[in-house]
Amino acid sequence: MDSNFWAFQAKDWINILILVVTGFAVYIGPIRAVKVARREEVEALKLRQKAEIFASLMKTRRFQLDPEHVSSLNLIQVYFSEEETVLAAYKAYIRLLSRKLIPGVADESFWKERDDAFIDLVYAIARATGFSQDKKEIEELAYSPSGWASDQETIRRLHGLLIEIFENKRPIPVTNFINPTVFNPFPPAPAIDPNLWKG
C-alpha cells in the first residue's frame, strides 16, 4: 500500500470541507426555505385577516347593530392580540358599549364619547394594518342612507310586535277595512215577487 494514501494535502482538506458544506446545504437549504415560505404565508394570512376586520368595521361604521359589525368587533382580540394600541382602544370602546344606561338619562356627551372611542379604535386598527386613514376621514367620510336606518328600525319594531303576539302579550287586531255599501263580495238577495205566495 502506498504511504502517500493517508497523506492529506491542503487541497484535500479543502475538497472535504466543500463536500461537507455542500451536503449540509443540500439537506438544510430546502428545509429552511420551506420554513421561511410558511412563515411568510402565516404573516400574509394574519395581515389579510386584520385588513378584513378593518374593512368590515369601515363598511358598517354607520350601522353598528349590523351582525357583521358586531362579529368584527368580537374578533379583534383574536387577530390583534399582539397590537397593544389596538387592544387598549378596543377595551375602552367595549367598556362604553357595556355600560348600563338608564332610559332617558344618557345625555349627548355619552354618545359623543362612545363615537369618539369607536373612531379611536378604527384609527388604531388602520395604523396596525398599514392603512393611512385620518381620524377625521374615518368619522366624516361615511355614507349611510337614512332609508336604511328607517328600514332597520321598522324591521325591529315589527319583530317586537310579532314576538308579543306569539307570546300572547298582544292581540291581533281585526278590522273591517271594506265598506259594505261600496263593495259587497256576495251577490244581492233575489227579488221575491209577492204575488207568488197568494193562492
Side-chain angles (χ1 to χ4, degrees):
M1 189 178 266
D2 191 1
S3 62
N4 289 334
F5 179 77
W6 293 106
F8 283 101
Q9 295 179 359
K11 65 177 182 169
D12 297 327
W13 285 110
I14 291 173
N15 286 335
I16 290 173
L17 184 61
I18 289 172
L19 183 65
V20 170
V21 168
T22 304
F24 184 76
V26 166
Y27 178 73
I28 295 298
I31 294 173
R32 185 162 178 79
V34 168
K35 285 182 180 177
V36 168
R38 269 198 198 142
R39 192 171 347 148
E40 287 176 356
E41 283 177 17
V42 167
E43 291 301 318
L45 177 64
K46 283 181 181 178
L47 186 59
R48 189 169 68 243
Q49 289 167 333
K50 290 176 180 181
E52 285 173 3
I53 294 292
F54 174 67
S56 176
L57 290 175
M58 287 290 283
K59 182 171 47 172
T60 59
R61 61 191 148 163
R62 292 280 190 225
F63 303 102
Q64 297 180 355
L65 293 179
D66 190 280
E68 182 182 350
H69 184 87
V70 176
S71 298
S72 298
L73 280 178
N74 288 330
L75 288 173
I76 288 174
Q77 286 178 297
V78 175
Y79 296 135
F80 292 91
S81 59
E82 299 167 1
E83 304 284 345
E84 291 299 323
T85 312
V86 174
L87 289 178
Y90 170 77
K91 289 174 185 175
Y93 181 58
I94 293 299
R95 281 191 200 103
L96 285 170
L97 288 182
S98 302
R99 186 185 294 175
K100 300 288 184 202
L101 296 178
I102 302 168
V105 175
D107 58 356
E108 198 64 34
S109 64
F110 167 75
W111 301 111
K112 175 80 172 99
E113 183 182 1
R114 194 187 76 168
D115 289 344
D116 289 346
F118 176 72
I119 298 300
D120 289 343
L121 171 62
V122 176
Y123 178 73
I125 291 173
R127 302 288 287 182
T129 51
F131 291 97
S132 58
Q133 295 291 328
D134 183 63
K135 282 186 182 183
K136 208 80 167 148
E137 290 176 350
I138 294 171
E139 184 177 6
E140 294 178 355
L141 298 181
Y143 174 64
S144 61
S146 59
W148 283 10
S150 175
D151 289 349
Q152 285 186 345
E153 180 59 32
T154 301
I155 290 169
R156 271 197 299 276
R157 266 191 23 247
L158 290 175
H159 184 259
L161 289 173
L162 276 175
I163 289 174
E164 288 179 6
I165 289 170
F166 289 136
E167 291 178 345
N168 290 327
K169 294 178 181 175
R170 177 182 291 274
I172 299 176
V174 179
T175 307
N176 183 7
F177 288 103
I178 300 171
N179 186 345
T181 60
V182 176
F183 174 76
N184 189 352
F186 304 105
I192 301 175
D193 187 7
N195 295 328
L196 285 176
W197 299 104
K198 292 179 180 179

